[in-house]
């Protein structure tokens, strides 16, 4: 989500005007974020794919009502989060239960193996509380500012900041464990 | 500067947050002598370098194929040719009212009511004339508001109703459509999900189901917490299984809110209405009862009490989109946090 040649707003405008390529570009640009959040939410690839499809269908159907009062990413994040919650409530999908045993630290031994590193990170993500993970996803997957994330989640900015920080601190402690030591002054 | 503060500064800096330069420098200096914080800083860098999960090959194509099978819900005009500009610059227009021009609001409801009454008169006359009226009525579902008049007196009553009611109120109480199979318990609205079998020992009573009594007594039928932890309830229907009812909810700002009603839903097809504390707004912008607060994920306007907060609940105007949980409701609806 870096180096966007054409802004989301322009693509949304073109898509609303009937340009299918513009909508396709929006999907391609944001599919990873939507899928990534859904995957972390459900812990299951099939559920994440179902959710991603539903998210973009909802976006397509309601794109004409997008009013630019928030960024497209903020709106998309809210749709994604609500689709995941709604799917859970409808019983269509349930987050996979996580065995506490599985949450034991998996230190990253070889940082040159990007696949192993990513797998270890995703594994560690399951140790986060849903609230902390939601805040972290908003900021890192959807590229939202703290202000936008606060708007999307309906919580104060300070809470977003503390949740993101808490999430990172736990992830780092799981992935890069060190011997207990006294903190500096 | 202690370790938690150092790490908080480093985390904020990683998100491109504005951090005072002197504080950031002090935090970095701290890392030179603190292994814990140095590890945190190193970990931050590695976390940011790890790519997020990628959507699997084929998912995007699958999404685009599904979308291609739908018709693009276009605006009336291309956005930059006027509509978008108008939405951005002009005061907000109430989209939940079907994109209609607010200047038309004084005549449109009256026209709707008169047209509806005329259609009912014609239908009643025709059906009576050909002798099928009685049989046809038996096929109609029992509704809270009966849209078909059966006599000249009823037709006259309907004409009087159309002519005397306030325009907005008349529109809202007009027999537009039948509500889903709602039930209400303590003002909360539910929809049936399906039958279930359960051990009824230890069930927690939620309250009586509005308008429902035992088949052979006047004792009320009670609803119980399903125990699923999702706000659902179970009701033992006479001569049948336990039926699970799910709360009617909508998502907003990451939370779920349940549909409420002031009037107990006692008749199939009855629509929920606003709590007594909130009189039906007289204006499309929600005033004087509510003020516009924002949009939910699907662009539906959210209104909060004029002197309240969305945390206590919010209202939604009639005429929501077809996929809205309150679609078809002719009334303003009230949504309170899911217990």
């Amino acid at each position: 989500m870096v180096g966007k040649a054409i802004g989301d707003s322009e693509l949304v405008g073109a898509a609303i005007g009937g340009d299918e390529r513009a909508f396709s570009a929006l999907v391609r640009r944001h599919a990873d974020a939507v899928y990534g959040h859904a995957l972390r939410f459900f812990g299951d690839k099939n559920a994440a794919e179902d959710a991603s499809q539903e998210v973009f269908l909802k976006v397509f159907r309601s794109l004409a009502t997008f009013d630019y009062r928030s960024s497209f990413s903020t709106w998309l994040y809210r749709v994604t989060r609500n689709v995941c919650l709604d799917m859970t409530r409808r019983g269509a999908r349930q987050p996979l239960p996580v065995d506490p045993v599985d949450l034991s630290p998996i230190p990253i031994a070889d940082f040159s193996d990007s696949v192993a590193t990513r797998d270890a990170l995703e594994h560690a993500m399951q140790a986060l509380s849903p609230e902390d993970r939601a805040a972290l996803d908003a900021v890192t997957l959807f590229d939202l500012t703290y202000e936008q994330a606060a708007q999307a989640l309906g919580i104060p900015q300070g809470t977003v900041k503390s949740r993101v920080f808490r999430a990172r601190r736990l992830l780092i402690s799981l992935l890069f464990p060190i011997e207990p030591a006294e903190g500096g002054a | 500067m202690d370790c938690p503060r150092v790490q908080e500064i480093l985390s904020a800096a990683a998100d491109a947050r504005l951090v005072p330069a002197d504080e950031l420098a002090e935090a970095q200096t701290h890392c030179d002598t603190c292994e814990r914080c140095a590890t945190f800083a190193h970990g931050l860098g590695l976390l940011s370098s790890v790519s997020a999960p990628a959507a699997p090959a084929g998912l995007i194509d699958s999404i685009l194929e599904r979308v291609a099978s739908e018709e693009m819900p276009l605006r009336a005009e291309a956005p930059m040719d006027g509509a978008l500009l108008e939405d951005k610059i002009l005061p907000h227009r109430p989209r939940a009212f079907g994109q209609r021009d607010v200047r038309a609001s004084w005549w449109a409801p009256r026209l709707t009511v008169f047209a509806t009454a005329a259609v009912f008169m014609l239908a009643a006359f025709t059906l009576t004339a050909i002798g099928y009226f009685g049989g046809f009525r038996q096929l109609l579902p029992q509704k809270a508001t009966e849209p078909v008049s059966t006599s000249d007196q009823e037709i006259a009553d309907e004409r009087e109703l159309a002519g005397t009611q306030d325009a907005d109120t008349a529109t809202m109480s007009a027999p537009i459509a039948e509500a889903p199979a709602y039930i209400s318990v303590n003002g909360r609205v539910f929809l049936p999900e399906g039958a279930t079998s359960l051990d009824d020992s230890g069930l927690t009573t939620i309250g009586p189901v509005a308008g429902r009594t035992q088949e052979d007594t006047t004792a009320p039928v009670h609803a119980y917490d399903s125990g699923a932890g999702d706000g659902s309830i179970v009701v033992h229907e006479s001569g049948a299984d336990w039926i699970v009812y799910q709360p009617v909810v909508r998502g907003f700002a990451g939370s779920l809110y349940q549909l409420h009603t002031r009037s107990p839903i006692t008749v199939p097809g009855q629509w929920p209405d606003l709590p007594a504390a909130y009189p039906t707004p007289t204006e499309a912008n929600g005033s004087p009862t509510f003020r516009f607060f924002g949009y939910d994920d699907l662009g539906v306007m959210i209104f909060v009490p004029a002197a309240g907060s969305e945390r206590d609940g919010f209202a939604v105007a009639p005429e929501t989109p077809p996929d809205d949980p309150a679609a078809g409701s002719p009334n303003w609806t009230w949504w309170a946090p899911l217990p």
Side-chain angles (χ1 to χ4, degrees):
Chain A
M1 301 182 44
V2 178
K4 298 171 183 174
I6 302 176
D8 284 345
S9 296
E10 286 77 11
L11 287 175
V12 169
I16 291 171
D19 188 338
E20 293 177 5
R21 293 170 306 169
F23 186 79
S24 172
L26 281 171
V27 173
R28 293 181 192 285
R29 177 176 291 178
H30 295 285
D32 286 353
V34 171
Y35 175 78
H37 180 71
L39 181 62
R40 290 172 181 174
F41 185 94
F42 291 109
D44 176 71
K45 291 180 179 177
N46 290 331
E49 290 191 31
D50 289 349
S52 301
Q53 295 217 14
E54 191 164 334
V55 166
F56 283 110
L57 276 178
K58 277 187 181 291
V59 167
F60 179 79
R61 289 168 182 161
S62 53
L63 198 61
T65 69
F66 180 67
D67 64 357
Y68 299 86
R69 286 172 188 264
S70 62
S71 73
F72 178 75
S73 289
T74 305
W75 185 57
L76 180 65
Y77 174 70
R78 288 164 59 180
V79 173
T80 305
R81 182 167 160 72
N82 280 351
V83 163
C84 291
L85 288 169
D86 287 346
M87 285 176 69
T88 304
R89 287 198 53 77
R90 292 201 312 264
R93 293 286 185 178
Q94 295 293 332
L96 291 183
V98 179
D99 188 336
V101 173
D102 292 339
L103 300 182
S104 55
I106 301 180
I108 298 175
D110 181 6
F111 295 111
S112 64
D113 185 343
S114 59
V115 175
T117 303
R118 189 175 63 207
D119 287 349
L121 175 60
E122 293 307 316
H123 183 79
M125 283 282 180
Q126 298 303 312
L128 302 181
S129 71
E131 295 81 13
D132 291 353
R133 193 166 56 226
L136 186 66
D137 280 357
V139 171
T140 58
L141 290 182
F142 287 80
D143 230 8
L144 303 189
T145 63
Y146 288 173
E147 183 182 6
Q148 290 171 326
Q151 182 188 5
L153 291 166
I155 57 178
Q157 277 192 57
T159 306
V160 172
K161 183 180 176 183
S162 60
R163 287 181 182 179
V164 169
F165 170 58
R166 196 164 53 213
R168 285 190 172 128
R169 195 172 53 183
L170 180 57
L171 288 176
I172 290 171
S173 70
L174 290 173
L175 297 172
F176 315 106
I178 59 172
E179 293 300 316
E182 290 298 318
Chain B
M1 188 177 285
D2 59 15
C3 292
R5 177 64 184 150
V6 167
Q7 294 173 9
E8 198 173 351
I9 289 172
L10 295 174
S11 177
D15 292 325
R17 297 285 297 175
L18 287 177
V19 176
D22 57 337
E23 287 193 11
L24 183 58
E26 189 178 347
Q28 289 167 336
T29 302
H30 173 97
C31 292
D32 293 338
T33 57
C34 175
E35 183 189 8
R36 181 183 295 270
C37 292
T39 302
F40 183 85
H42 179 64
L44 270 181
L46 288 173
L47 285 183
S48 63
S49 69
V50 178
S51 58
L59 175 60
I60 293 175
D61 290 339
S62 173
I63 291 169
L64 295 177
E65 278 177 20
R66 286 189 65 180
V67 167
S69 65
E70 299 211 357
E71 185 179 352
M72 171 65 89
L74 300 174
R75 286 181 193 269
E77 303 173 59
M80 297 313 291
D81 290 339
L84 177 61
L85 195 62
E86 191 177 37
D87 276 358
K88 278 182 166 176
I89 297 173
L90 296 181
H92 173 71
R93 291 184 301 165
R95 193 169 45 248
F97 283 76
Q99 300 277 15
R100 70 187 180 192
D101 188 333
V102 292
R103 289 171 299 183
S105 61
W106 69 271
W107 60 264
R110 289 173 171 81
L111 182 63
T112 302
V113 170
F114 279 115
T116 304
V119 168
F120 288 146
M121 287 173 61
L122 182 61
F125 176 78
T126 304
L127 290 171
T128 303
I130 62 177
Y132 282 91
F133 191 75
F136 180 69
R137 272 184 55 79
Q138 291 178 2
L139 298 178
L140 291 174
Q142 295 300 309
K143 300 173 72 169
T145 51
E146 176 58 70
V148 179
S149 301
T150 58
S151 68
D152 290 344
Q153 182 58 49
E154 287 180 12
I155 293 170
D157 289 345
E158 191 150 353
R159 292 175 68 182
E160 184 181 354
L161 178 73
T164 56
Q165 277 193 309
D166 170 74
D168 287 336
T169 309
T171 301
M172 291 175 187
S173 61
I176 295 173
E178 188 174 3
Y182 292 140
I183 66 166
S184 66
V185 178
N186 297 338
R188 295 161 55 198
V189 180
F190 299 83
L191 270 175
E193 184 182 58
T196 186
S197 57
L198 51 77
D199 175 11
D200 57 1
S201 61
L203 286 175
T204 305
T205 307
I206 299 296
V209 179
R212 201 83 67 83
T213 57
Q214 304 283 355
E215 198 170 48
D216 51 352
T217 71
T218 56
V221 171
H222 280 274
Y224 302 86
D225 186 345
S226 72
D230 57 359
S232 59
I233 59 173
V234 288
V235 176
H236 192 251
E237 304 288 356
S238 55
D241 294 326
W242 288 88
I243 304 296
V244 178
Y245 287 83
Q246 290 288 345
V248 179
V249 296
R250 70 186 311 126
F252 179 61
S255 298
L256 290 170
Y257 294 77
Q258 183 173 5
L259 180 59
H260 281 233
T261 182
R262 174 191 59 191
S263 305
I265 294 178
T266 56
V267 182
Q270 180 182 337
W271 288 103
D273 53 9
L274 287 174
Y278 304 116
T280 300
T282 56
E283 302 294 332
N285 65 6
S287 66
T289 311
F290 303 117
R291 61 183 168 85
F292 174 65
F293 180 76
Y295 294 93
D296 74 359
D297 300 335
L298 296 179
V300 173
M301 295 170 71
I302 299 297
F303 296 85
V304 297
S309 159
E310 83 284 2
R311 293 187 184 88
D312 303 324
F314 56 77
V316 170
E319 300 181 29
T320 50
D323 60 348
D324 189 88
S329 173
N331 300 336
W332 282 75
T333 50
W334 179 253
W335 305 78
L338 189 64

